[in-house]
Amino acid sequence: MRVLAAAVLSLLLASAAAQAQDQAMAERLKPCAACHGEGGHSRDEVYYPSIAGKPQGYLQQQLRNFREGRRHNTVMAELLAPLSDDYLRAIAAYYAQQPPTLAAREPVADAALLARGAKLVREGDAARQLPACSRCHGGQLAGVQPAIPSLAGLGRDYLSAQLGAWRSGVRQALAPDCMAQIARKLDEAEINALSAYIAALPVNAQTRPAEHPDGKLPLDCGSVP
Amino acid sequence: MKRCWLCRAGLLLLLLSAALWLYWPALYRPAIADSVLPMSPAQIERGAYLARAGNCIACHTQPGAPEYSGGRRIATPFGDVYSSNLTPDVDTGLGAWRAADFYRALHEGRSRDGRLLTPAFPYPNYTRITRADSDALLAYLRTLPPVRRAPRAAELRFPYNTSLALQLWRRLYFRPAEFAADAQRSASWNRGAYLVDGLGHCNACHARRDWLGGVRDSRAYAGGEIAGLDWEALPLTREPPLDDAQAGEWLALLSSGVSQRHAVSGPMAEVVFHSLQYLHREDLAAMIEYLRSLPGEAQTPKPDRINARLLQTLQQRGEQVYGEHCADCHGEQGEGKPSHYPALAGSRLLGSPSPANAIRIVLYGGYPPSTAANPMPYGMPPFRPQLRDEDVAAVLTYVRSAWGNQAGAVLPAQVAKR
């Protein structure tokens, strides 16, 4: 009985310590909350993506991308400039542990547009060697550990801005940059259809990144170990 | 007729003496002997330490590229300059450089092929470096993995891109001179002077510059706006001089980025991050001892010349904004929270006559650096997404005059310019 009580007590203490640690981290990351919201749950998906619940490796890589000029946001780059790689890892770990954001979805009435988006996401286009998005981003588009982010949950404008940025070279990932190869094969209309379809998908609390990819990735991606 | 002969001869004489004045330092150049570099582990370790003290890595690494491989853009008021590749690659780096070539670059600001280097490379400071330290630096740089990366040519505007302009600039502002110890002063004072004036190149930011970007008195650390960075470097010399408690605060600031009441920010956070946190405590203390000994200018607060009604409105609105957005971290009385959130009461950054840094910090936020003593610093949120220019001006007007602070009002138009 005593042993059990001690075990329960130590568990409680450990979880209290973890909670305190989590709170200290949230306090440290107030500058990020100014845009990305408390715990990484954005209140304004149009401008600032939610970052809660994304795979740790992906988040850490993005922080380095902003610091090193492969992605661009002046305020973020300046905030991150004097922070060590170890700190960036801890920041990424904190946001990765948060539950995903259950953002209001953006319903679209245009059925033809949605069908076109769905086809690209689920099947791709073999004739142009365009792989289905789901082969890398997972069946539910919930991402795959440790480095492929979820697409479900992203806003429509954010999605089309990112694909456009890859197409024009403004956003880059570590070479070989598979997303740049894919984005360059898409035209404006396709990006519009994809973004509309993905932004309308429901997200629930079970939408978490898969542990492993479903077989081999169709292209090599430098940021995926 | 005769008179004109005279004036022609006079003109010729004038031109000749101008040329002689300009080129004299270039004609009269002592030869520099080469030496065999000892590559002992102690020598290499010493070189690595000196490279930290000189912060070579910050300018010579382009973010995302291998360390020391150069190519980083340095913005100057005269155009952009790109740093060189310091890795030992034979074709694009220092692989073929002899110890004498390297010393000449630091000491005289000349490349291996004789080309004059632009003072974006702080050789007006590095000229103080001793030959022994120069050799140790090169020994360390030779141990880096060689990276093949051709340096990019400078993009300076006319007439600054001409060798004549550079020659003239050097004649006005540059004398090659190794550090000479002052026998009247202690060994630690001399060590501090060597590090601050020389390797540390603190006056690259902390000096007041004239319109040609020159520094007239290399020991005047009066501070001023940093060209191209939109930050103001604070004065490092004071009247009355720093007391012991303040000197202790500085030691904490320079080694860890934060002290009980202050934190470094912006460009200074990067200097601590890349360079100062790695220095021995005795060296940092020596630097502070030296800076404390230099004469400073007394700062007399100027009375506000704005309309009293406007001032009152700004202060009242400012107090409200402060309670809502700032007091959680900086405290009801501006007292801060030791070593996480700096005190605003008595803040030197806030007290500066120019509100430039304060406006920047409130608009864009910032973190002090990650250091061994403070690996995961707390940060200041950017308020640009939340506050209007009027509110930023109001809260700054309030904090600049509350709790004994005595700096002037900040107007919305000053905020809008940033």
Side-chain angles (χ1 to χ4, degrees):
Chain A
M1 192 63 206
R2 253 213 215 128
V3 179
L4 191 68
V8 167
L9 188 70
S10 74
L11 250 169
L12 276 176
L13 280 178
S15 89
Q19 211 172 8
Q21 220 173 30
D22 226 38
Q23 262 170 14
M25 226 27 212
E27 179 75 20
R28 287 190 168 91
L29 299 178
K30 285 223 167 129
C32 316
C35 294
H36 294 287
E38 293 290 335
H41 302 295
S42 171
R43 281 153 307 178
D44 191 355
E45 241 16 275
V46 176
Y47 293 111
Y48 308 120
S50 282
I51 53 180
K54 294 189 175 175
Q56 178 177 349
Y58 173 73
L59 291 174
Q60 193 182 344
Q61 188 55 51
Q62 299 316 304
L63 297 178
R64 299 187 60 159
N65 288 350
F66 281 104
R67 199 176 58 181
E68 293 167 6
R70 286 180 293 266
R71 286 184 78 174
H72 306 278
N73 182 284
T74 320
V75 179
M76 270 184 65
E78 286 186 6
L79 286 174
L80 299 171
L83 305 186
S84 67
D85 286 343
D86 283 343
Y87 195 8
L88 298 195
R89 186 175 315 125
I91 294 174
Y94 168 79
Y95 284 118
Q97 280 158 15
Q98 305 306 312
T101 308
L102 306 178
R105 308 316 300 148
E106 302 173 51
V108 178
D110 187 340
L113 186 72
L114 289 178
R116 187 155 182 224
K119 189 161 169 8
L120 282 166
V121 167
R122 304 290 167 197
E123 296 164 26
D125 184 351
R128 286 186 292 154
Q129 290 173 329
L130 181 69
C133 316
S134 55
R135 281 190 60 194
C136 292
H137 288 277
Q140 288 185 296
L141 302 187
V144 179
Q145 296 287 3
I148 303 183
S150 56
L151 300 182
L154 297 179
R156 185 172 171 178
D157 290 337
Y158 177 78
L159 276 161
S160 52
Q162 296 307 313
L163 293 169
W166 254 308
R167 223 162 52 136
S168 62
V170 170
R171 176 169 177 178
Q172 292 162 17
L174 291 187
D177 189 348
C178 56
M179 275 310 300
Q181 294 171 37
I182 290 168
R184 280 198 289 266
K185 288 189 178 151
L186 300 169
D187 63 26
E188 297 281 348
E190 286 173 324
I191 289 180
N192 185 29
L194 277 168
S195 308
Y197 170 72
I198 296 170
L201 288 176
V203 180
N204 60 43
Q206 276 72 51
T207 314
R208 300 305 301 243
E211 289 303 323
H212 307 287
D214 216 10
K216 192 179 171 313
L217 300 187
L219 290 171
D220 280 340
C221 307
S223 51
V224 180
Chain B
M1 202 56 195
K2 211 174 175 188
R3 255 220 243 118
C4 225
W5 266 113
L6 258 180
C7 54
R8 273 190 211 169
L11 195 69
L12 199 68
L13 203 68
L14 208 70
L15 280 175
L16 262 176
S17 40
L20 200 66
W21 173 79
L22 190 60
Y23 288 101
W24 178 249
L27 296 177
Y28 176 70
R29 280 186 13 225
I32 295 172
D34 201 22
S35 60
V36 180
L37 275 190
M39 296 286 291
S40 67
Q43 170 92 338
I44 291 164
E45 196 182 313
R46 185 155 145 250
Y49 181 78
L50 295 166
R52 282 297 184 190
N55 205 3
C56 318
I57 198 168
C59 287
H60 283 278
T61 306
Q62 188 185 5
E67 291 188 342
Y68 289 106
S69 66
R72 186 181 180 125
R73 185 174 71 93
I74 317 274
T76 79
F78 314 110
D80 292 341
V81 185
Y82 296 88
S83 62
S84 326
N85 181 346
L86 298 187
T87 71
D89 180 61
V90 174
D91 298 321
T92 62
L94 302 186
W97 284 47
R98 298 170 314 146
D101 299 331
F102 186 74
Y103 178 71
R104 194 167 66 158
L106 298 180
H107 187 69
E108 282 181 20
R110 272 175 195 277
S111 187
R112 193 163 83 103
D113 59 10
R115 174 176 69 98
L116 296 182
L117 295 167
T118 56
F121 168 39
Y123 60 80
N125 302 91
Y126 293 160
T127 187
R128 306 234 162 50
I129 293 173
T130 61
R131 178 61 190 262
D133 280 356
S134 165
D135 285 357
L137 273 165
L138 183 60
Y140 164 66
L141 292 173
R142 281 194 182 160
T143 64
L144 299 172
V147 178
R148 205 185 158 73
R149 198 150 185 268
R152 214 172 132 173
E155 291 153 10
L156 293 169
R157 285 190 309 278
F158 182 82
Y160 308 109
N161 56 358
T162 60
S163 123
L164 186 69
L166 202 51
Q167 203 64 264
L168 190 67
W169 192 95
R170 288 164 62 101
R171 190 67 182 89
L172 289 171
Y173 301 109
F174 177 57
R175 292 280 170 286
E178 246 187 44
F179 179 75
D182 180 345
Q184 309 292 315
R185 303 280 196 166
S186 69
S188 57
W189 185 94
N190 278 300
R191 174 74 178 160
Y194 179 69
L195 289 171
V196 169
D197 295 347
L199 262 173
H201 63 283
C202 309
N203 74 357
C205 295
H206 285 282
R208 202 165 284 159
R209 284 169 189 275
D210 63 19
W211 64 282
L212 276 176
V215 178
R216 290 270 171 192
D217 173 1
S218 65
R219 287 191 164 168
Y221 291 92
E225 186 123 350
I226 308 170
L229 277 187
D230 202 14
W231 277 87
E232 192 208 7
L234 298 174
L236 294 183
T237 50
R238 303 242 193 121
E239 180 54 43
L242 229 55
D243 63 32
D244 288 345
Q246 289 165 328
E249 289 259 340
W250 271 22
L251 190 60
L253 270 187
L254 299 187
S255 59
S256 70
V258 290
S259 67
Q260 288 295 305
R261 295 180 60 81
H262 299 291
V264 291
S265 1
M268 195 59 209
E270 292 192 54
V271 173
V272 172
F273 181 59
H274 292 295
S275 169
L276 298 178
Q277 67 160 312
Y278 297 100
L279 299 200
H280 304 315
R281 249 184 137 64
E282 311 83 75
D283 276 345
L284 291 176
M287 292 163 77
I288 294 170
E289 176 186 347
Y290 166 67
L291 284 168
R292 283 174 82 180
S293 76
L294 300 176
E297 292 167 18
Q299 284 198 13
T300 39
K302 286 202 206 85
D304 265 316
R305 270 187 296 176
I306 75 166
N307 171 315
R309 281 261 307 281
L310 177 58
L311 184 63
Q312 203 188 5
T313 322
L314 281 172
Q315 277 172 342
Q316 274 169 2
R317 173 77 193 127
E319 186 167 3
Q320 216 177 337
V321 174
Y322 184 82
E324 242 168 77
H325 294 283
C326 324
D328 267 357
C329 294
H330 291 293
E332 294 297 337
Q333 298 302 315
E335 73 278 12
K337 294 199 183 116
S339 87
H340 290 330
Y341 296 131
L344 298 187
S347 156
R348 288 245 297 151
L349 187 144
L350 267 182
S352 169
S354 152
N357 287 354
I359 294 174
R360 254 205 88 108
I361 286 195
V362 172
L363 289 180
Y364 302 110
Y367 277 97
S370 294
T371 57
N374 187 32
M376 300 205 286
Y378 288 69
M380 161 89 186
F383 281 91
R384 206 162 116 109
Q386 298 181 48
L387 294 180
R388 296 173 309 141
D389 291 350
E390 294 77 32
D391 289 339
V392 173
V395 75
L396 282 175
T397 299
Y398 171 69
V399 294
R400 271 161 66 92
S401 59
W403 322 300
N405 289 349
Q406 290 186 34
V410 177
L411 300 174
Q414 289 174 287
V415 178
K417 270 194 276 170
R418 307 274 152 181

